Amino acid sequence: MTRILMVCLGNICRSPLAHGILESKLNSSEFYVDSAGTAAYHVGHQPDSRSIQIAKNNGINISHQTARQFKVSDFDRFDYIYAMDASNYTNIISLARNNSDIGKVKLFLEENPNVSNKNVPDPYYGEMSDFEYVFDLIKDTSIIIAKRLLED
Ligand code: 4NP
């Protein structure tokens, strides 16, 4: 089983989308996908209604997801830890215990050679159009990641 964790700040907007989209592209008997936030603001909450809606419009149900905070034991439980932006990356790395932990963490958009800005923009204070933009960016990148995982 290969285990992949998507991480943003609140675990209600970006990482639930990355979690649901990548999960939809992989076989659950071989791949486990989860998500978490570096902050605890929204622990126990459903994803933001706008993330639920944009996912639903694209045939993906993320409404059953529940926000949780990233924890040090996630370094042991996951093979790949993807940060949605540089700030999330720094927050995760600050909890790393050793080089093995650090080596598991990558910026999500580092996997996408077609984009130069490696931060998935935070749509929380934005409009539905920002969620649409983020959905497409995450979908395109998830296709690349799934293809790579299936080749390994
Ligand atoms: P996310 O978006 O990190 O993509 O889940 C945010 C959600 C909530 C907050 C910030 C970003 N907040 O400040 O509550």
Side-chain angles (χ1 to χ4, degrees), residues 8-15 41-42 122-125:
C8 62
L9 177 62
N11 191 209
I12 56 166
C13 297
R14 294 165 291 177
S15 61
Y41 318 132
H42 297 281
D122 182 353
Y124 186 60
Y125 293 106

Side-chain angles (χ1 to χ4, degrees), residues 87-107:
S87 163
N88 310 146
Y89 179 87
T90 303
N91 289 335
I92 299 165
I93 292 293
S94 72
L95 297 172
R97 300 156 299 185
N98 51 47
N99 284 338
S100 164
D101 289 354
I102 292 171
K104 292 183 177 187
V105 190
K106 206 168 176 182
L107 271 176

Side-chain angles (χ1 to χ4, degrees), residues 12-63:
I12 56 166
C13 297
R14 294 165 291 177
S15 61
L17 286 172
H19 171 178
I21 295 169
L22 185 67
E23 193 172 58
S24 76
K25 305 200 173 301
L26 297 169
N27 183 332
S28 63
S29 64
E30 286 177 74
F31 296 95
Y32 175 75
V33 186
D34 193 15
S35 61
T38 58
Y41 318 132
H42 297 281
V43 168
H45 297 181
Q46 255 196 325
D48 186 284
S49 59
R50 296 161 296 178
S51 282
I52 292 177
Q53 187 61 49
I54 192 71
K56 189 178 175 197
N57 294 350
N58 288 275
I60 295 170
N61 179 12
I62 62 165
S63 65

